[in-house]
Amino acid sequence: MAPAIKKYGITVSIGLLAFIILVAIFAGQVAPHDPENGKLDDRLFGPCAEYPLGTDQMGRCILSRIIFGARISLSVGIIVVSASVTVGTAIGLISGYFGGLIDEAIMRIVDSFLAFPSTLLALGIAGLFGAGFINMVIALIIVDWTPYARLIRATVIDLRGMEFIKASIGLGMGDLFVILRHVLPNTLSPLLVMATTGLGYVILAAAGLSFLGFGVQPPTPEWGFMLNDGKMFIRTAPYIMIFPGMMIMIVVLAFNYLGDSLRDLLDPRMKMVIR
Amino acid sequence: MLEVKNLKKRFSSGIFFKSYLDAVDDVSFSIAKGETLGLVGESGSGKSTVGQCVIRLIEPTGGTIMFNGIDLRSLNGRALNRVRPSMQMIFQDPDSSLDPRMTIGQSIAEPFRLKKVARNEVKGEVLRLIEKVGLSPEHYNRYPHQMSGGQNQRAVLARVLAINPLFIVADEPTASLDVSVQAQILHLLMDLKREYGMTMLFISHDLAVIRHMCDRVAVMYRGKIVEQGPVSAVFESPAHPYTRLLLSRTEEAEQSVKQENGSGDAKGCRFRGRCSLARAVCETTEPAFREIGAGHTVACHMTVLPKAEITHE
């Protein structure tokens, strides 16, 4: 792909995500209707002037529910990814920097987490704790931190062999100082790429959990649960499923694309050319 | 200043079925204050491992290292970190010796920050060092990837000077540089060493460089020192067949030998497989060091023979 298209693409995905985030923040002002209480008289309307994206079986405005649902999806994504990154980075740093038995022990634990299909594991944990927003977040964190730990560990092992880390140790810096000042900053770019792509994945997984009834409970609007709501009417009123489904797709794609673009942008070889 | 006795480093891999490699085996040498000892040998001879063991960047498996009367191997944690600034290392690859996310100025300032020099004085000190190593102030805000290898190696030297160490390990500091830049860096290193009165362990595979830089030289072959002595003595009357081999074909010397069963042959002389003088005694007994001149020692069974007989083809 030509660099111009790439730059254009990154602007589009950032713009789109910024727009969605703003709409989510100001949902109360932007949404035309109450997302939780509909008029039963206005059930199953197709898109019209009053309800741009139609209404569901309870007469609730789908546009308003999508707007409020963005809050849930985005906050799940951000909370889960930042917690996973924090936990994964801390564990990966310890594992990679100190190596030896600590590393072996930690990595076997990580392996045992990775041995389960992640969606199934999240489902099991959410089922165990009971459905609900907090429990869904906890389940997703438990599933999500391991890839970050592996990534950071691999990066740190690479760095550990580099001369500037040895030189820093040779200067007589303490381990903590070396880690915070030289190791951590050099792990940031791969981490940023992975976290961005990870956001899309977490939003998708959260929607999946909610669709199956293990996530956010009604009447709170959530994209995954809206899909579930609409599945009975897929023949008569497909827009109930189509619009939230499209939103999930757009957000996930935007995050994935942003992550991809960041990867190219932060590649050190590319950076040399750009600077 | 530095006294290394019976240094050993064994690398092991695997948890259940361990395999070992004795990278450094029973290496002893000493360096007097202000002296430069050259360590020469082909790739894989363990010379870099010795350099890193001596300043404890790699944990040795055996032996003692006395540095100014301090037993380095007995130190741990904070005590070790207090001694570390007095011994510094210059690595082979200057481009990865500097943190890629820090400017040259920030990298050189690191030691000052560690010594808790006041912030407003640091920049002046750094700029002074930048000029001292032949860089210009405009390099202060550059990143390592914006500079050449030679410039980066100068920055590394500036960082070393910022600590003002007593002892430097220079591990092939010019091996990855262009030939034209090599000489500049070597001269700078010599000038600075003289000015600051530093002691140095200079590791190289390049005999010409060793001859130029060092007072004494130790020749390593597969983890052992085989000959040691003043540069003039070793270069003019090399006693060990391996030293002769190195001197006779300087260009090919770097060619690594295939390390057939690395550590298995504990018995006998390690060089016997490539040695044209090998006799029965070389198969069974490891040669001990023998003094053949002032401070000139060699570990070879055949050196007792008159000179005419031990010329190596």
Side-chain angles (χ1 to χ4, degrees):
Chain A
M1 226 189 293
I5 299 174
K6 287 226 141 154
K7 270 184 191 159
Y8 187 63
I10 204 171
T11 327
V12 169
S13 50
I14 288 178
L16 204 60
L17 289 170
F19 175 71
I20 293 170
I21 289 169
L22 278 176
V23 167
I25 291 171
F26 296 106
Q29 285 75 42
V30 180
H33 297 277
D34 182 342
E36 291 184 15
N37 301 301
K39 288 188 204 135
L40 278 177
D41 289 347
D42 297 349
R43 279 180 305 150
L44 300 174
F45 277 19
C48 58
E50 172 75 6
Y51 302 104
L53 301 183
T55 60
D56 65 4
Q57 76 278 20
M58 318 268 261
R60 296 174 298 198
C61 169
I62 290 176
L63 176 63
S64 308
R65 285 178 68 73
I66 284 178
I67 289 172
F68 274 92
R71 283 186 169 178
I72 305 280
S73 290
L74 290 173
S75 48
V76 168
I78 289 164
I79 295 171
V80 169
V81 167
S82 33
S84 303
V85 164
T86 313
V87 175
T89 304
I91 290 175
L93 276 174
I94 294 170
S95 195
Y97 188 85
F98 294 104
L101 271 179
I102 308 172
D103 181 35
E104 284 292 328
I106 291 177
M107 278 304 120
R108 293 301 79 77
I109 295 170
V110 170
D111 282 349
S112 64
F113 273 96
L114 287 169
F116 291 99
S118 58
T119 321
L120 207 60
L121 185 60
L123 211 65
I125 297 166
L128 195 70
F129 292 158
F133 180 80
I134 307 261
N135 291 343
M136 177 174 72
V137 166
I138 293 172
L140 287 173
I141 293 172
I142 292 174
V143 175
D144 200 41
W145 68 273
T146 45
Y148 297 101
R150 296 209 89 153
L151 172 80
I152 294 295
R153 171 180 174 269
T155 317
V156 171
I157 287 176
D158 263 7
L159 288 169
R160 197 78 171 73
M162 302 271 278
E163 274 90 354
F164 73 93
I165 297 291
K166 286 189 191 169
S168 307
I169 297 169
L171 282 176
M173 294 176 175
D175 287 328
L176 190 67
F177 197 78
V178 175
I179 289 176
L180 292 181
R181 198 164 164 83
H182 294 288
V183 179
L184 194 57
N186 281 292
T187 61
L188 285 186
S189 49
L191 194 60
L192 192 64
V193 171
M194 194 164 174
T196 315
T197 321
L199 260 168
Y201 164 76
V202 168
I203 289 173
L204 196 61
L209 283 182
S210 294
F211 176 78
L212 294 168
F214 290 98
V216 176
Q217 294 302 293
T220 315
E222 203 277 345
W223 298 344
F225 199 81
M226 288 168 77
L227 292 180
N228 192 8
D229 260 357
K231 70 177 188 292
M232 288 196 301
F233 304 94
I234 186 129
R235 282 166 193 279
T236 49
Y239 46 84
I240 301 181
M241 283 189 93
I242 287 173
F243 293 120
M246 272 175 61
M247 278 312 293
I248 296 173
M249 193 185 81
I250 290 170
V251 170
V252 172
L253 276 180
F255 275 120
N256 280 349
Y257 193 81
L258 185 62
D260 249 17
S261 316
L262 283 176
R263 186 198 313 274
D264 294 340
L265 210 66
L266 295 172
D267 190 314
R269 278 154 300 178
M270 296 287 288
K271 200 160 65 186
M272 283 209 216
V273 179
I274 289 168
R275 280 202 179 158
Chain B
M1 169 70 95
L2 182 81
E3 186 141 11
V4 177
K5 266 197 193 129
N6 309 100
L7 186 72
K8 284 192 179 79
K9 175 65 195 180
R10 164 174 277 195
F11 288 109
S12 57
S13 58
I15 310 168
F16 299 113
F17 303 101
K18 294 211 170 197
S19 56
Y20 297 105
L21 175 74
D22 287 312
V24 178
D25 193 7
D26 242 351
V27 162
S28 304
F29 58 87
S30 63
I31 309 178
K33 189 167 167 35
E35 190 182 42
T36 302
L37 175 72
L39 200 55
V40 70
E42 56 203 4
S43 308
S45 60
K47 51 194 197 306
S48 290
T49 312
V50 169
Q52 295 192 37
C53 277
V54 163
I55 61 171
R56 276 200 51 185
L57 280 179
I58 295 180
E59 256 352 283
T61 21
T64 52
I65 306 158
M66 297 297 284
F67 177 71
N68 267 347
I70 308 165
D71 182 4
L72 281 184
R73 289 202 63 209
S74 71
L75 298 182
N76 263 317
R78 277 157 192 264
L80 181 63
N81 278 344
R82 263 198 297 277
V83 180
R84 283 205 144 131
S86 44
M87 18 179 231
Q88 286 301 308
M89 181 141 189
I90 300 167
F91 293 95
Q92 180 172 351
D93 181 2
D95 298 338
S96 69
S97 297
L98 299 162
D99 191 328
R101 299 202 160 259
M102 284 190 172
T103 62
I104 299 305
Q106 284 174 318
S107 278
I108 300 173
E110 286 278 284
F112 291 122
R113 205 146 284 159
L114 213 65
K115 284 196 280 190
K116 306 220 158 51
V117 173
R119 244 160 221 276
N120 47 357
E121 291 170 31
V122 169
K123 186 161 185 189
E125 286 291 304
V126 171
L127 286 173
R128 189 178 62 79
L129 287 171
I130 279 183
E131 298 218 357
K132 180 137 228 157
V133 297
L135 294 174
S136 55
E138 71 195 45
H139 294 120
Y140 185 89
N141 284 321
R142 296 257 179 98
Y143 284 91
H145 65 81
Q146 297 169 312
M147 312 234 297
S148 70
Q151 288 172 324
N152 278 337
Q153 199 63 297
R154 285 172 192 269
V156 170
L157 281 176
R159 183 175 62 188
V160 167
L161 292 181
I163 315 162
N164 197 5
L166 299 166
F167 174 63
I168 297 183
V169 176
D171 187 2
E172 310 221 24
T174 56
S176 62
L177 302 176
D178 291 341
V179 181
S180 56
V181 186
Q182 283 188 8
Q184 295 171 16
I185 296 288
L186 289 175
H187 279 288
L188 179 65
L189 191 59
M190 272 187 104
D191 289 346
L192 295 172
K193 183 186 121 52
R194 210 169 293 140
E195 186 181 335
Y196 286 78
M198 288 181 292
T199 309
M200 188 154 72
L201 176 64
F202 189 90
I203 300 168
S204 181
H205 62 266
D206 190 333
L207 288 158
V209 171
I210 293 270
R211 186 170 207 168
H212 182 67
M213 297 288 293
C214 305
D215 306 308
R216 285 194 307 122
V217 60
V219 182
M220 267 188 96
Y221 182 73
R222 286 174 65 178
K224 277 192 177 296
I225 290 181
V226 293
E227 184 167 3
Q228 192 175 169
V231 164
S232 54
V234 173
F235 276 79
E236 271 143 43
S237 51
H240 196 280
Y242 178 60
T243 316
R244 284 158 184 267
L245 182 72
L246 277 183
L247 283 168
S248 64
R249 16 173 256 192
T250 19
E251 321 80 50
E252 298 162 66
E254 176 63 6
Q255 281 182 354
S256 181
V257 255
K258 216 174 159 225
Q259 300 241 345
E260 66 280 357
N261 55 28
S263 59
D265 46 356
K267 279 204 307 185
C269 175
R270 294 186 179 209
F271 188 61
R272 64 174 190 268
R274 288 169 82 190
C275 183
S276 60
L277 306 172
R279 305 284 148 88
V281 63
C282 304
E283 299 279 336
T284 52
T285 332
E286 200 168 321
F289 273 106
R290 194 192 323 263
E291 184 142 9
I292 53 167
H296 188 176
T297 54
V298 62
C300 180
H301 291 298
M302 308 315 291
T303 44
V304 278
L305 296 174
K307 261 195 180 155
E309 267 187 66
I310 49 170
T311 42
H312 194 276
E313 56 234 54

